[in-house]
């Protein structure tokens, strides 16, 4: 958020917060009416749970629905539990099916079931169909409302079908072409239908359709949608029957969530899945403490290595000066490699079968980095502490960079993918611990060999 946007949000935030505190509800409604939908969303994300529910009730009905759709699912859940049943029913019914499913996934089972039963039969059936797909599949995030036509219909007849669906679906820019059994035959755009002569058959203006299976992992499907640069990607079942569409805005939301999740786990914490300022302090602590405990326990391995080489350090205390330098360099090298490979795995640039190729490639990268850093370390340390110490540091940096890049970029993320784990979880925290311990072993072994220590 820019400085100007932050100031625009802060002023009404303080005014609304003050009006809620003094229970001046007409003033709250007036202040909110002066804001755009985006500004209202930003403001609600900054308010506390009780204040958010009060402010939301002061919104006009149509505006409240639009604002609700823009909120993250955890905030929607908190609002639902604070609203009256009749208010909740109207809001939930107005949501698109995929957004409704995301909300129901956040709610307690009893409340979700009650809301589902309160929907009209047609909406309940659509929602139940989406809920039937695996949690992380694109079927769970697709929109089952779309516009279809048939190859033997004219463009004029197809446009009539589009007009008839305007109330039911927002996705009218891409029209799906199916046969009577709902099997996908192609797609055409609203622009093509409008530009063609009215009596032109759809088969003459349609084109081959890319598609994705409903059971495909949602992140992979979203990346396919983004790579193809399409407004809507058809979602089909095992028999190639059309069951829904993945729109580009939903694909971007999925990729944004995946990016946030990867960034959080690369830094050794769990994703918040909600705006920072609306996240309770305990939730922030819980998202970070687990990995801190894991790293603290795993760091014992480094301590054990230092204990094993205690006699070596006692003989030449100056060796201890370079431990932070070596562990930091090794950890950063491994983390850089792991981050690059985790990104490549997410984009589909590499696969688990490429493990040998990736390891050899990262080994060469690490060797080049080691030669550069080791050569620099040899010169600088040699001038200050003596050439024998400089040679130890130079060789250690050479070995450590090669090892860290090979393990960080060639092993850990690929092993994680092979066993079905998140590569981001296996990368930075575990690589740092491994490289610290292994790097110290390499360091002391080289020092013993070159300096004649016991």
């Amino acid at each position: 958020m820019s400085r100007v946007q932050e100031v625009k949000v802060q002023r009404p935030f303080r005014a609304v917060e003050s009006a809620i505190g003094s229970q001046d509800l007409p003033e709250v409604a007036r202040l909110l009416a002066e804001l755009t939908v985006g500004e209202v969303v930003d403001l609600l994300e900054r308010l506390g749970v009780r204040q958010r529910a009060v402010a939301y009730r002061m919104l006009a009905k149509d505006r409240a629905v639009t604002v609700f759709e823009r909120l993250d699912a955890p905030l929607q859940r908190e609002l639902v539990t604070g609203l009256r049943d009749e208010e909740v029913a109207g809001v939930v019914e107005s949501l698109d099916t995929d957004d409704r499913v995301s909300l129901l996934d956040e709610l307690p089972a009893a409340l979700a079931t009650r809301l589902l039963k309160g929907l009209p039969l047609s909406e309940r059936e659509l929602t139940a169909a989406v809920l039937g797909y695996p949690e992380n599949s694109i079927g769970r995030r697709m929109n089952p409302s779309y516009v279809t036509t048939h190859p033997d219909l004219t463009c004029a007849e197809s446009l009539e079908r589009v007009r008839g669906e305007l109330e039911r679906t927002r996705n009218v820019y891409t029209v799906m072409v199916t046969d009577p059994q709902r099997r996908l035959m192609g797609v055409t755009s609203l622009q093509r239908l409008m530009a063609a002569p009215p009596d032109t058959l759809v088969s003459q203006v349609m084109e081959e359709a890319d598609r994705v299976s409903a059971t495909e992992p949602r992140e992979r499907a979203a990346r396919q949608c983004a790579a193809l640069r399409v407004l809507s990607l058809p979602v089909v079942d095992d028999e190639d029957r059309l069951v829904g569409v993945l729109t580009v805005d939903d694909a971007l939301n999925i990729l944004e969530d995946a990016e946030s999740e990867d960034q959080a786990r690369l830094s050794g914490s769990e994703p918040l899945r909600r705006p920072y300022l609306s996240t309770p302090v305990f939730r922030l602590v819980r998202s970070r403490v687990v990995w801190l405990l894991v790293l603290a326990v795993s760091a014992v391995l480094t301590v054990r290595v230092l204990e094993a080489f205690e006699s070596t350090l006692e003989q030449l205390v100056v060796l201890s000066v370079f431990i932070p330098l070596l562990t930091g360099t090794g950890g950063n090298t491994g983390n850089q490699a792991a981050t690059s490979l985790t990104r490549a795995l997410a984009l589909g640039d590499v696969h688990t079968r490429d493990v040998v190729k990736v390891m050899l490639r990262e080994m060469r990268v690490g060797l080049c980095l080691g030669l550069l850093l080791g050569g620099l370390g040899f010169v600088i340390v040699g001038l200050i502490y003596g050439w024998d110490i400089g040679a130890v540091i130079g060789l250690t940096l050479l070995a450590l960079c090669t090892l860290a890049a090979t393990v960080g970029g060639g092993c850990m993320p690929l092993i994680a993918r092979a066993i079905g784990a998140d590569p981001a979880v296996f990368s930075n925290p575990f690589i740092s611990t491994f490289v610290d311990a292994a790097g110290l072993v390499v360091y002391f072994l080289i020092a013993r060999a070159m300096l004649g220590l016991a």
Side-chain angles (χ1 to χ4, degrees):
M1 182 182 293
S2 68
R3 178 63 180 168
V4 174
Q5 290 173 314
E6 186 176 355
V7 171
K8 286 179 69 178
V9 172
Q10 284 290 349
R11 288 174 180 170
F13 170 75
R14 297 191 187 98
V16 169
E17 191 176 39
S18 175
I20 293 175
S22 60
Q23 297 185 349
D24 188 354
L25 299 186
E27 177 66 7
V28 174
R30 185 190 68 79
L31 290 169
L32 292 175
E34 295 176 353
L35 302 178
T36 65
V37 170
E39 290 170 343
V40 172
V41 171
D42 289 337
L43 187 144
L44 291 180
E45 290 176 348
R46 292 166 176 263
L47 291 172
V49 176
R50 189 191 67 82
Q51 294 173 321
R52 189 182 303 121
V54 172
Y56 183 80
R57 281 198 173 101
M58 295 299 101
L59 293 171
K61 183 177 180 181
D62 293 342
R63 210 155 185 246
V65 171
T66 305
V67 168
F68 192 87
E69 291 175 341
R70 302 259 307 258
L71 292 173
D72 291 329
L75 298 188
Q76 290 179 340
R77 178 195 63 211
E78 291 175 357
L79 275 178
V80 164
T81 56
L83 298 175
R84 297 187 297 269
D85 282 351
E86 59 272 18
E87 292 175 318
V88 173
V91 169
V92 172
E93 184 177 341
S94 67
L95 293 175
D96 287 340
T97 306
D98 52 335
D99 295 329
R100 189 185 303 133
V101 168
S102 297
L103 171 61
L104 293 176
D105 283 338
E106 288 283 335
L107 296 175
L111 178 56
T113 301
R114 191 169 79 238
L115 290 177
L116 192 59
K117 289 181 178 179
L119 294 172
L121 180 60
S122 59
E123 291 296 329
R124 193 188 319 158
E125 290 175 345
L126 285 175
T127 305
V130 174
L131 284 169
Y133 288 100
E135 185 174 351
N136 290 318
S137 68
I138 197 59
R140 197 67 168 254
R141 294 294 295 269
M142 70 180 182
N143 191 332
S145 299
Y146 46 85
V147 181
T148 64
T149 187
H150 302 301
D152 54 351
L153 293 180
T154 65
C155 291
E157 291 171 328
S158 298
L159 287 173
E160 282 301 314
R161 292 172 70 97
V162 171
R163 293 187 187 95
E165 295 291 335
L166 288 178
E167 292 295 326
R168 190 178 67 89
T169 180
R170 302 177 187 177
N171 179 40
V172 297
Y173 304 106
T174 304
V175 180
M176 307 296 159
V177 184
T178 62
D179 66 10
Q181 287 74 43
R182 275 195 306 121
R183 284 191 291 267
L184 183 65
M185 302 187 69
V187 296
T188 188
S189 66
L190 183 60
Q191 180 184 14
R192 280 190 181 145
L193 292 177
M194 295 176 68
D199 57 349
T200 304
L201 292 178
V202 171
S203 58
Q204 296 177 259
V205 296
M206 75 178 192
E207 59 183 8
E208 186 177 350
D210 294 293
R211 66 203 71 196
V212 64
S213 171
T215 56
E216 185 86 3
R218 62 187 180 189
E219 185 178 344
R220 191 181 304 168
R223 293 198 183 281
Q224 183 178 341
C225 182
L228 292 171
R229 301 179 183 274
V230 293
L231 293 176
S232 298
L233 183 63
V235 181
V236 298
D237 62 13
D238 294 338
E239 298 179 5
D240 206 34
R241 290 177 301 189
L242 186 65
V243 293
V245 294
L246 172 63
T247 56
V248 65
D249 57 331
D250 287 333
L252 292 177
N253 287 336
I254 291 171
L255 294 179
E256 182 182 356
D257 292 343
E259 186 73 18
S260 299
E261 184 176 291
D262 288 346
Q263 288 300 318
R265 287 176 173 166
L266 283 171
S267 62
S269 64
E270 285 298 308
L272 298 178
R273 306 185 193 283
R274 57 187 295 157
Y276 173 81
L277 290 177
S278 68
T279 304
V281 172
F282 178 74
R283 177 72 179 272
L284 291 171
V285 172
R286 191 175 62 182
S287 72
R288 302 177 188 178
V289 70
V290 174
W291 288 111
L292 287 177
L293 291 174
V294 171
L295 291 174
V297 172
S298 60
V300 174
L301 180 61
T302 304
V303 175
R304 295 294 298 168
V305 171
L306 289 173
E307 288 181 352
F309 289 96
E310 186 177 358
S311 60
T312 303
L313 283 174
E314 289 175 349
Q315 295 176 66
L316 196 60
V317 179
V318 71
L319 293 177
S320 63
V321 174
F322 301 101
I323 290 177
L325 166 69
L326 298 174
T327 56
T329 302
N332 289 335
T333 303
N335 290 341
Q336 286 178 339
T339 301
S340 297
L341 188 62
T342 300
R343 180 69 175 168
L345 282 168
L347 294 174
D349 292 341
V350 297
H351 306 278
T352 52
R353 62 176 179 272
D354 299 320
V355 59
V356 175
K357 186 183 299 184
V358 171
M359 288 182 65
L360 291 175
R361 187 179 185 85
E362 286 297 333
M363 186 183 297
R364 293 198 298 272
V365 173
L367 185 60
C368 291
L369 291 172
L371 286 171
L372 291 172
L373 296 177
L376 187 63
F378 169 69
V379 174
I380 295 176
V381 175
L383 289 172
I384 300 174
Y385 294 96
W387 297 110
D388 53 349
I389 301 295
V392 171
I393 300 303
L395 287 174
T396 302
L397 285 171
L398 173 62
L400 193 53
C401 287
T402 305
L403 175 65
T406 305
V407 172
C411 288
M412 291 292 187
L414 289 171
I415 290 173
R417 175 58 62 86
I419 63 177
D422 189 338
V425 174
F426 265 68
S427 50
N428 290 14
F430 286 102
I431 288 169
S432 296
T433 302
F434 171 80
V435 171
D436 285 353
L440 289 177
V441 172
V442 171
Y443 176 41
F444 289 124
L445 290 178
I446 291 176
R448 281 182 173 182
M450 297 196 64
L451 302 177
L453 301 175

